[in-house]
Amino acid sequence: MTTIVREIREQFNPARPSQCIGQVELLTIDETKDVIVAAQDAFEGWKNTSSVARGEILRVTADLLEKNIDKVAEIASSEMGKTKNEMLGEVKRGASILRYFAQEGMRATGEVLPSANEAKLLYTTRVPLGVVAAITPWNFPVAIPLWKIAPALVYGNTVVWKPSIESALTGKLIGELFEQAGLPKGVLNVVQGRGSKVGQVLLEAPEVKAITFTGSNSVGQSILDTAGSTNKKIQLELGGKNAAIILADANINQAAKLTIEGAMKQTGQRCTATSRVYIEEAVYEKVVEQLIEEAKKIEVGVTMGPVSSKGQYDSILSAIEKAKVEGAELVFGGGPTKGIFEGYYIDPTIFTNVTHEMSIAHEEIFGPVLAVIKVKDYEEAIRLSNDSNFGLSASIYTNNIPKAFDFINRSEVGLVQVNDETGGAEPQAPFGGMKNSSTGAREQGQAAKEFFTTFKTITIGTKSE
Ligand code: UN1
């Protein structure tokens, strides 16, 4: 008999770091390898299960998720700090992602093409890849895993899923719901552990045919370094430094409200968060005033949760300090929330007089911090907003139709918003960015098929001599 010694990790509530909310057992490297083999063994059976039946399991999982909405939201909120309300919204979104991909099980997976030879039938079909590894972050502990797992499964792949260690309890619960919905053993496997151990095994395993990852650029780069030269398909959703442009003709109140929402929702911990705003000088003062008014409405600890961990807390505070040192002017917030004595709470923070050279105009902060930049006109705004290594999302607030279309045309991002905040995604639409924000096929919508399947092209001779 072998004794397996697993590392035990305690999870703490970022709103009350002294409160332990549960424990997770982390898998050993050998156990992770065994799980991958189990996923490989389950592949043949799952691939040969009707896609309609596969979709039906997703639908049942959606029902179970809705039934357990309170429990899932509670655990996720206490694990990574998002407010319960934000989490309830995310769980509902998770259910609609499952329902969208459940329907995919009934849709066409190929097409009949004309052949140059009239005696031949030429057609295509899409087939699954095999074992897919999904490596997901803590900031959307339900929606992001589901928008990777649901398409992977409905198209016939088996999945080894490593949730972030910081949202491990939520991951465990989601895995159990799939099991309750009747997913056969080995088809979805939750592996708990650190990226450096469990994650590394996933990257190196020959059985793993595709890796889908959402998280930081540095981890994304190490995935490319390890798996980039193998034959694995790779999909990376990484950082953002999303710009909003507010033109003089915009509805100023609406623009300010949505810009603050875009920046501060989920405590700014979204790769799609608005983190820099370019304002035309004619309305600059008025908009700044209004941004501050909107920020004042946020009640830290009630409508805005803590950041997810001590690591996040320290890194956001040091970015704030750096902005001060570089000469940006702090006009709102700027540090730990006063009057709250426990928890990783940071005030919504606004810096003005930001110049294009400052770090705050270029580096992702992943926290409730907004950089405000004055511009002469739209031309300067579009030029500066495009001068970024990231290209995930961008917004323009204007009532000028030609300028809105010019922005749609010239903005170097994957997600363009007109008169709306930079974040948000619907399951039926492709999601992803340009430049250093994304690698590989888009997520969600019909685009998901590109990543989770490959083609078979079939030719049949229909006449005998
Ligand atoms: C959203 O804006 O609602 O990690 C989704 C992230 C993104 C998802 C954002 N991949 O924040």
Side-chain angles (χ1 to χ4, degrees):
M1 201 190 98
T2 45
T3 318
I4 297 170
V5 184
R6 295 189 182 135
E7 183 187 340
I8 308 276
R9 182 186 143 101
E10 296 196 314
Q11 297 294 87
F12 293 93
N13 185 343
R16 254 162 291 131
S18 59
Q19 182 194 29
C20 175
I21 53 164
Q23 291 185 332
V24 242
E25 280 190 72
L26 309 187
L27 289 197
T28 63
I29 287 178
D30 284 343
E31 285 176 306
T32 310
K33 288 182 179 161
D34 291 346
V35 169
I36 296 169
V37 171
Q40 176 64 45
D41 291 346
F43 176 57
E44 201 56 30
W46 184 242
K47 173 184 146 185
N48 291 320
T49 301
S50 149
S51 61
V52 178
R54 297 194 298 243
E56 178 59 12
I57 295 181
L58 299 188
R59 191 194 60 74
V60 176
T61 312
D63 289 349
L64 288 171
L65 189 61
E66 278 167 348
K67 228 168 110 190
N68 289 280
I69 183 166
D70 205 68
K71 185 172 164 196
V72 178
E74 188 64 44
I75 290 189
S77 168
S78 61
E79 194 168 38
M80 54 66 70
K82 201 185 292 202
T83 65
K84 178 90 178 276
N85 258 346
E86 285 174 328
M87 213 42 245
L88 288 169
E90 187 184 335
V91 178
K92 282 188 198 144
R93 181 175 180 174
S96 72
I97 292 166
L98 284 164
R99 292 194 196 290
Y100 173 80
F101 285 107
Q103 293 290 310
E104 272 302 285
M106 293 185 187
R107 288 201 188 103
T109 56
E111 53 186 353
V112 178
L113 299 156
S115 166
N117 181 336
E118 63 282 353
K120 284 194 173 155
L121 170 64
L122 178 63
Y123 71 98
T124 64
T125 180
R126 285 186 183 257
V127 293
L129 306 173
V131 178
V132 170
I135 305 176
T136 61
W138 48 263
N139 70 327
F140 283 91
V142 174
I144 291 179
L146 290 178
W147 82 46
K148 294 178 188 296
I149 293 168
L153 293 181
V154 80
Y155 298 129
N157 303 280
T158 56
V159 177
V160 181
W161 170 33
K162 193 193 96 52
S164 161
I165 204 168
E166 281 162 28
S167 54
L169 297 174
T170 312
K172 183 164 176 272
L173 196 53
I174 301 286
E176 286 164 7
L177 295 179
F178 274 101
E179 206 179 306
Q180 272 177 45
L183 198 66
K185 234 179 139 20
V187 172
L188 170 66
N189 308 272
V190 184
V191 289
Q192 305 282 10
R194 295 179 200 289
S196 55
K197 282 191 179 166
V198 166
Q200 195 63 22
V201 177
L202 296 180
L203 302 186
E204 288 168 3
E207 297 89 346
V208 171
K209 298 293 182 273
I211 299 161
T212 172
F213 167 79
T214 297
S216 70
N217 281 71
S218 59
V219 175
Q221 188 56 51
S222 71
I223 291 175
L224 284 180
D225 293 344
T226 311
S229 60
T230 65
N231 203 15
K232 295 185 194 340
K233 239 174 151 174
I234 298 179
Q235 176 182 58
L236 308 176
E237 281 302 331
L238 309 171
K241 184 74 194 174
N242 313 295
I245 295 175
I246 302 179
L247 297 186
D249 68 82
N251 173 337
I252 300 297
N253 288 352
Q254 183 201 31
K257 179 172 175 286
L258 290 170
T259 301
I260 290 297
E261 245 178 57
M264 309 301 172
K265 213 191 244 176
Q266 227 183 283
T267 325
Q269 299 175 115
R270 297 184 300 161
C271 61
T272 47
T274 307
S275 64
R276 46 193 176 120
V277 55
Y278 298 90
I279 306 172
E280 254 189 320
E281 63 187 1
V283 288
Y284 182 78
E285 264 84 41
K286 209 162 123 203
V287 176
V288 170
E289 221 170 83
Q290 205 50 40
L291 289 171
I292 294 172
E293 283 313 305
E294 290 297 330
K296 279 185 191 158
K297 294 182 188 163
I298 296 171
E299 281 181 81
V300 180
V302 181
T303 59
M304 190 166 107
V307 300
S308 69
S309 65
K310 179 80 166 74
Q312 269 289 103
Y313 186 73
D314 290 343
S315 113
I316 297 164
L317 291 179
S318 87
I320 290 175
E321 286 318 305
K322 194 165 169 190
K324 289 180 190 164
V325 170
E326 289 184 8
E329 187 184 339
L330 181 66
V331 294
F332 197 82
T337 306
K338 296 196 178 68
I340 299 185
F341 301 105
E342 210 193 352
Y344 304 126
Y345 289 98
I346 296 177
D347 278 338
T349 295
I350 305 175
F351 281 101
T352 57
N353 286 346
V354 171
T355 64
H356 194 58
E357 292 64 42
M358 292 179 189
S359 317
I360 193 179
H362 294 280
E363 288 171 10
E364 184 177 42
I365 296 176
F366 221 66
V369 183
L370 179 67
V372 182
I373 298 151
K374 191 198 280 186
V375 287
K376 203 159 70 352
D377 53 16
Y378 167 70
E379 273 308 315
E380 187 181 6
I382 182 84
R383 183 173 54 79
L384 296 181
S385 71
N386 276 339
D387 185 22
S388 169
N389 292 331
F390 294 109
L392 186 55
S393 65
S395 293
I396 190 163
Y397 296 94
T398 183
N399 286 305
N400 182 315
I401 293 173
K403 278 185 184 152
F405 275 96
D406 187 79
F407 179 74
I408 294 166
N409 188 26
R410 285 164 69 194
S411 190
E412 296 166 5
V413 294
L415 308 161
V416 184
Q417 316 272 14
V418 177
N419 294 326
D420 210 346
E421 63 118 331
T422 48
E426 295 193 45
Q428 67 277 23
F431 178 91
M434 295 178 180
K435 300 180 183 170
N436 291 351
S437 290
S438 303
T439 300
R442 291 280 188 267
E443 302 193 280
Q444 303 201 80
Q446 290 301 299
K449 217 185 265 175
E450 297 306 323
F451 186 72
F452 292 107
T453 67
T454 188
F455 278 110
K456 251 187 196 174
T457 303
I458 300 118
T459 313
I460 304 178
T462 58
K463 291 196 179 124
S464 50
E465 289 300 306

